[in-house]
Structures are given as structure tokens and as C-alpha cells.
Amino acid sequence: MAELDVWWEVLVGSFDVLLDDEHAQLDAFVEEYRSAVEVVFDGLSEEQSRRRLVLSATTLLGLVKHLTWMQRVWFEECVGGISRRELGLVQSPEESFRLAGDDTVASVMAGHRDACVRARMAVADLPLDTVVTGHRTGPRTLRWVYLQVLRELAHHCGHADILREQLLAAD
């Protein structure tokens, strides 16, 4: 029931921005999904967070690691103009799900929080119509980047919910 309370508070909080400008609305929706990621490991063990429950190599911990990578690609590479290599990021989305032996819930969440801080700083003073040129497939507007990140966060938060349900049901 506590999970429903968290989701309800996030949903109600979203109503505060209904009349704000578009940038504030996009920030609020992105933050809503970032908050959902924050609670995904509540009550789960390290073993559960690494457990594979689907045919792909996806794990709950790997999913959050991917979300971290994704946000760094869009905000630090695309908006900030720093290459993946310079950022120390793996090159492909598939690689971003892979866990290292020393990855823990605490370390992956710390990485995710850091990526969120960097993302906020990268876009803080930029209008949505700003054309960003750091992505290897070409320029796009900041608005497009926000929509892409929002799409990915929503998509993968749904996956995380399902994986969490499976983990809780299995134990």
C-alpha cells in the first residue's frame, strides 16, 4: 500500500504545474519518473535487485544503470557536447544494462542521483527551442531531448514496476 501512496503523492504533485510554462511542466514530469526510480529498491535485497526474471539479461539493478546511462547520453553528451568516451560511458544501450561485480544498489543509485544533478545543471538556463548538437546522429531541440528522456523514463519505470512485482511475488 505504501507504493500506492508514493505514486498518489507524485500524481497530485504533478497538478501543481498544470498552468506553468512548458519547461517547468517537462521538468516536473521528468522528476516524477526520477522519483519513481528512487523507490524501486525499497525492501529488496542486493540479490533480488540483480536477479534475472525475464528472457533478456534485464535485471532491476541493470535497468536503473541503463536509465543513468540514458540520461547522461542525452543531457551530458547531446546537450553538453561531451562524448561518451570522454564521459567514460559504454557506447551502446545494450552494454548499459550490464552489471559490474562491484555494482550495488547504493552505488547504482548514487550514480543515478549524480546523473540527475548533472542533467538538471545542463538544462537549467536553456530555452526548449535551443538546438543542441552533441548527439552523434545530429542536431535536435532541447524540447525533443526532454520528450525522448520522458519517453524512456516512463517506458522503463513500467518495466521496473513489473520486475519489482515479480520479485516480491517470488519471495
Side-chain angles (χ1 to χ4, degrees):
M1 195 62 180
E3 287 178 49
L4 288 176
D5 293 339
V6 169
W7 281 103
W8 179 249
E9 285 186 30
V10 169
L11 178 64
V12 171
S14 298
F15 294 138
D16 294 340
V17 297
L18 288 175
L19 300 177
D20 283 344
D21 67 34
E22 184 181 10
H23 204 295
Q25 291 173 2
L26 288 170
D27 280 333
F29 282 118
V30 167
E31 290 301 329
E32 177 181 335
Y33 286 109
R34 286 176 176 155
S35 294
V37 171
E38 285 291 317
V39 299
V40 77
F41 295 111
D42 286 355
L44 298 179
S45 69
E46 291 288 333
E47 183 278 325
Q48 286 173 309
S49 71
R50 297 175 85 83
R51 191 182 303 165
R52 253 181 79 188
L53 299 169
V54 293
L55 293 177
S56 73
T58 303
T59 64
L60 197 52
L61 194 60
L63 192 59
V64 175
K65 196 167 179 178
H66 168 72
L67 287 173
T68 301
W69 176 86
M70 178 272 299
Q71 291 186 79
R72 293 196 68 197
V73 165
W74 288 115
F75 292 115
E76 293 178 59
E77 180 184 43
C78 184
V79 176
I82 305 168
S83 74
R84 291 177 197 190
R85 192 165 318 286
E86 290 175 89
L87 291 168
L89 297 176
V90 296
Q91 295 300 305
S92 72
E94 293 76 24
E95 293 172 280
S96 71
F97 283 88
R98 291 189 192 136
L99 298 175
D102 61 347
D103 282 334
T104 64
V105 170
S107 69
V108 170
M109 287 309 300
H112 181 261
R113 288 182 193 116
D114 182 59
C116 293
V117 168
R118 290 171 189 248
R120 288 181 199 107
M121 290 184 335
V123 300
D125 297 321
L126 296 177
L128 292 174
D129 291 330
T130 301
V131 175
V132 294
T133 59
H135 198 268
R136 54 179 137 184
T137 61
R140 61 215 54 226
T141 64
L142 180 60
R143 178 180 288 103
W144 187 96
V145 170
Y146 262 99
L147 292 171
Q148 173 64 17
V149 168
L150 185 57
R151 183 178 71 96
E152 286 225 25
L153 284 168
H155 181 79
H156 291 308
C157 279
H159 291 151
D161 260 357
I162 292 167
L163 290 173
R164 181 178 167 77
E165 284 180 28
Q166 288 179 317
L167 287 164
L168 292 173
D171 291 332

